[in-house]
Amino acid sequence: VKGPGESLEVGVPSNRQEPREPAFHRAFIGLGSNLGDRARHLQEALQLLARTPDCTVTAISRYYETRPIGGPPDQARYLNAAAAVNTTLPPRAFLERLLEIERRLGRQREVKWGPRVIDLDLLLWDTETIQEPGLEVPHPHLPVRRFVLEPLAEIAPEACHPSGWTVAEQLDRIRRRPLYVAVTGPLGAGKTTVAQRLAAELGGVFVGEQWDEELLERASGGDFSAACALERWFLESRRHLLERRRFGPAELVISDFWWGQPLAYVRARALVDEEPQLKRELCRGAEELLEPTIVVWLSAEPAELWRRVQARGRPAERPVSVDWLGALHDAFCQVLTGPGAPPVFRPLSRDLDQQVEELKLVVESIKG
Ligand code: PH2
Ligand code: MG
Ligand code: MG
């Protein structure tokens, strides 16, 4: 006798189907205008989209007046909105329609982030990740733009990023204070330089990593038990550094590490047996710790990372090899892009000064 939930499949011809493509895709777009009759431009763009074959506009947010972020000074304020669209088009064709509508409404592309009659951005495409020239979904600025998250949360609070967090959750995070920017990435990525400069320029509180020189040296040399002990050491040290009550009325906090970094290190060091225990420890007492508003992920080519690590000449880091930095780089990719990853922002620029400039705008756009 079979109990409930037990399989009856044995001996039965299988008619199980391959998972099918959904009948349509669910896309979310952001709209913005700060030239001329802004409301009319949003309206016309939405009408053109609604009349497009193979697209159904299913929800439109209110229009939000917002402060311009980035671009030349003295720009007019924006009207921003978000819309939900069901479409049977593939993503590239859908993007082409958006660009076509921008052109129809007289969009000229001149200055980066300059004034525009209409801007239509593809924010989310189902829960897919697409990385192609000119087509990046989710929109890389989605988690750091108040002018996008607010309208989007009005029509789709439960819309999900491929990493698993929802629009409502991220809007809630960017509204909390202090804002907390956790800078992460492999050794030699420039975390400390960037975090310190950003804090100095924005008047934020800088929280700097501490480490145990001897454990670090043994771990870098390939001593497994030292590597485990080192990750535990970091966990306790960071638990102390990030205690919420230490920050009182601070507006902005910036650290040169991320609490979840050990997850990348255990992978890179092939200490996979440590992972479940480590995950439990990372959850324990998390409510008392500052949660990042955004995790900023810095990186570089392994050879460049190695050059920077050697140039700073810390004795404990001398055994570090290019290969190991490559493995570490890949481990960060896994931890920061897969399901369960926190909201992440990756500066486009390779240059540390320009990264600082990008991040100043990120903080601006979080504040809104
Ligand atoms: N779009 C930008 C840059 N800055 N600021 C606001 N408030 N609204 C926008 O839509 C916007 C912006 C680049 O597309
Ligand atoms: Mg845009
Ligand atoms: Mg655009």
Side-chain angles (χ1 to χ4, degrees):
V1 179
K2 292 229 171 244
E6 274 182 75
S7 172
L8 289 163
E9 275 174 81
V10 184
V12 175
S14 167
N15 62 350
R16 211 186 292 141
Q17 291 177 352
E18 289 297 304
R20 267 197 301 150
E21 280 279 298
F24 58 83
H25 299 283
R26 188 151 182 76
F28 291 100
I29 65 167
L31 302 90
S33 168
N34 75 336
L35 271 184
D37 189 342
R38 302 168 304 169
R40 206 178 49 125
H41 298 142
L42 299 189
Q43 208 100 37
E44 284 180 359
L46 288 163
Q47 274 167 8
L48 287 172
L49 193 61
R51 272 193 238 128
T52 301
D54 318 308
C55 291
T56 311
V57 177
T58 60
I60 300 171
S61 75
R62 293 186 294 121
Y63 297 171
Y64 292 70
E65 188 160 62
T66 64
R67 190 164 69 87
I69 305 295
D74 304 321
Q75 283 191 68
R77 289 168 72 81
Y78 273 82
L79 275 193
N80 282 111
V85 185
N86 290 345
T87 179
T88 51
L89 294 172
R92 180 59 74 174
F94 184 76
L95 178 69
E96 284 305 323
R97 301 273 173 103
L98 297 183
L99 297 175
E100 171 63 25
I101 293 171
E102 287 185 344
R103 285 192 293 269
R104 283 270 296 270
L105 291 178
R107 168 81 179 266
Q108 316 263 343
R109 287 182 178 267
E110 285 153 5
V111 188
K112 176 167 174 176
W113 290 2
R116 66 277 308 272
V117 289
I118 190 74
D119 180 34
L120 302 175
D121 287 337
L122 181 49
L123 304 173
L124 291 169
W125 184 267
D126 299 322
T127 49
E128 276 184 48
T129 301
I130 308 172
Q131 298 267 1
E132 292 171 17
L135 175 58
E136 192 175 345
V137 187
H139 194 288
H141 284 93
L142 172 66
V144 296
R145 283 184 163 171
R146 197 179 183 115
F147 66 77
V148 170
L149 290 169
E150 266 179 349
L152 189 55
E154 182 196 323
I155 59 169
E158 301 308 321
C160 220
H161 186 277
S163 295
W165 48 264
T166 68
V167 167
E169 283 164 358
Q170 184 57 7
L171 179 59
D172 186 53
R173 267 189 216 116
I174 71 166
R175 283 174 170 164
R176 260 179 261 157
R177 292 296 178 273
L179 291 184
Y180 168 34
V181 179
V183 180
T184 194
L187 296 177
K191 300 185 290 297
T192 307
T193 308
V194 167
Q196 267 174 343
R197 280 199 218 158
L198 190 62
E201 297 211 22
L202 297 180
V205 176
F206 171 72
V207 181
E209 180 90 289
Q210 299 171 351
W211 62 89
D212 182 291
E213 201 55 53
E214 192 207 312
L215 272 182
L216 188 61
E217 180 159 10
R218 283 169 48 209
S220 308
D223 176 337
F224 270 44
S225 80
C228 296
L230 179 66
E231 294 315 320
R232 300 250 134 57
W233 192 98
F234 274 130
L235 208 78
E236 286 318 307
S237 161
R238 290 171 183 156
R239 196 186 288 288
H240 176 66
L241 289 172
L242 294 178
E243 272 177 309
R244 200 174 270 287
R245 57 186 174 81
R246 294 161 60 98
F247 298 97
E251 264 289 298
L252 174 65
V253 176
I254 301 164
S255 68
D256 64 354
F257 61 88
W258 167 54
W259 176 239
Q261 261 167 230
L263 295 172
Y265 279 85
V266 295
R267 288 190 184 206
R269 291 203 163 102
L271 305 171
V272 280
D273 295 348
E274 294 295 310
E275 204 172 311
Q277 174 70 14
L278 199 63
K279 280 191 169 151
R280 277 194 295 277
E281 299 219 10
L282 284 167
C283 290
R284 188 167 59 81
E287 321 78 53
E288 270 117 73
L289 306 182
L290 228 46
E291 184 197 20
T293 315
I294 189 75
V295 174
V296 167
W297 175 17
L298 305 182
S299 198
E301 295 301 316
E304 172 64 11
L305 295 173
W306 185 83
R307 202 189 53 72
R308 292 190 202 153
V309 170
Q310 296 309 311
R312 69 187 176 195
R314 290 182 195 152
E317 292 176 345
R318 227 171 277 138
V320 166
S321 69
V322 177
D323 282 351
W324 145 250
L325 288 169
L328 187 57
H329 173 90
D330 294 347
F332 270 97
C333 279
Q334 287 172 22
V335 171
L336 292 174
T337 58
V344 169
F345 178 78
R346 236 187 143 165
L348 282 175
S349 168
R350 312 251 98 195
D351 173 84
L352 297 187
D353 290 318
Q354 281 174 31
Q355 287 175 346
V356 173
E357 292 308 309
E358 270 185 67
L359 295 175
K360 279 157 72 178
L361 279 182
V362 159
V363 172
E364 283 283 292
S365 69
I366 288 175
K367 289 183 176 169

